[in-house]
Amino acid sequence: MGNPLSIMIVGQIGLPIFYTTVVGYGAIMAGISKEITGSVTYDPTLLVVKFTTYLFAIPILIAYAFTMLNTNIFSNVVPPVYDLINTFPSKLSWIRGVIIVSILGIAVGAWSLYLKGAYTYFDTWIAFISGLLGPIAGIIVADYAILRKFKINLHDVFVRKGEYTFYKGFNISAILTLIIIFPIIFSTQLHIPIPFSIYIYKMSWMSGFLMSIPLYLLLTKLFDKYKR
């Protein structure tokens, strides 16, 4: 089966290359559509149907479907399945984790936005997910890189009362950071008057990431006595 470490390294190197290729393909197709039709078309399936015959469209769309399936399995299914089975290792197997994640994915219904158009899908759904994940990434960087200097207490990771227990199992600083940052990012949707709110929302991942780092560091200093 090979060395697990080497397999992991190959996977980590290969995935960014594959994702970048897919994104580049989408950008090139959007640029081509601008030159040909005069307007940007984000959905490559529309271009295929419009500018090719059925003889060529069917195999191209089948290949595109497999590409999308492959991308989404790696990026949207595998990580949450690992999270679930690592959280409940005695109760969940890989198959059960996949089934649960698949059901949750269908229940979320992100695909329904696609029915309103590719631009609406990407602009709404991706911005929302970015707004959620950006602050979380900022908290992780602030805690691990800045506060802990890239050091991890491996023993305390697996004990109930250790360095990572924080306050009764909850990181108060992280929770408050998310509670404060989320309304700022989505201020346009919540009708909260904040300067440059539209730009904060459009760059939701980066703005959330940058705002969460200093805020988390400040709150950690204020709530240091509530760690345990």
Side-chain angles (χ1 to χ4, degrees):
M1 294 179 63
N3 188 342
L5 179 60
S6 62
I7 294 174
M8 182 187 69
I9 293 175
V10 171
Q12 294 301 317
I13 294 175
L15 286 178
I17 297 175
F18 182 75
Y19 291 160
T20 303
T21 302
V22 173
V23 173
Y25 166 77
I28 292 172
M29 294 298 292
I32 293 174
S33 69
K34 174 69 174 179
E35 293 296 326
I36 296 177
T37 64
S39 61
V40 178
T41 302
Y42 293 91
D43 191 345
T45 59
L46 297 179
L47 295 176
V48 172
V49 173
K50 186 174 182 179
F51 294 103
T52 60
T53 63
Y54 287 108
L55 180 63
F56 293 100
I58 292 176
I60 292 174
L61 291 176
I62 291 175
Y64 178 72
F66 277 108
T67 301
M68 292 299 296
L69 180 64
N70 187 26
T71 303
N72 281 280
I73 286 176
F74 272 106
S75 60
N76 299 329
V77 176
V78 174
V81 170
Y82 272 123
D83 290 339
L84 280 177
I85 61 179
N86 286 330
T87 304
F88 306 101
S90 61
K91 297 181 180 180
L92 292 180
S93 63
W94 174 260
I95 298 299
R96 291 179 179 177
V98 170
I99 293 174
I100 293 174
V101 169
S102 300
I103 293 174
L104 290 175
I106 295 173
V108 168
W111 45 268
S112 62
L113 291 173
Y114 199 83
L115 299 177
K116 299 179 181 179
Y119 179 79
T120 301
Y121 169 78
F122 286 111
D123 186 62
T124 304
W125 179 251
I126 301 302
F128 176 73
I129 293 298
S130 299
L132 293 178
L133 298 182
I136 294 176
I139 291 171
I140 294 174
V141 170
D143 188 83
Y144 178 63
I146 299 177
L147 293 180
R148 304 183 190 276
K149 310 296 183 184
F150 298 99
K151 296 179 181 179
I152 185 170
N153 188 336
L154 189 59
H155 174 268
D156 281 16
V157 172
F158 300 97
V159 297
R160 291 185 178 274
K161 294 183 179 180
E163 183 178 351
Y164 307 106
T165 304
F166 297 101
Y167 178 70
K168 297 182 179 180
F170 295 94
N171 188 337
I172 303 299
S173 300
I175 295 174
L176 289 177
T177 299
L178 296 177
I179 292 175
I180 295 172
I181 293 295
F182 285 164
I184 297 176
I185 295 176
F186 302 108
S187 57
T188 54
Q189 284 71 28
L190 299 174
H191 304 290
I192 301 175
I194 295 178
F196 308 106
S197 59
I198 186 63
Y199 300 104
I200 294 175
Y201 173 74
K202 290 295 184 181
M203 299 184 294
S204 55
W205 193 96
M206 185 58 66
S207 57
F209 177 81
L210 295 177
M211 288 188 294
S212 62
I213 292 177
L215 180 58
Y216 177 78
L217 295 175
L218 175 62
L219 292 175
T220 299
K221 188 173 183 179
L222 293 176
F223 291 96
D224 185 66
K225 61 181 179 179
Y226 296 109
K227 279 189 175 181
R228 296 184 186 179

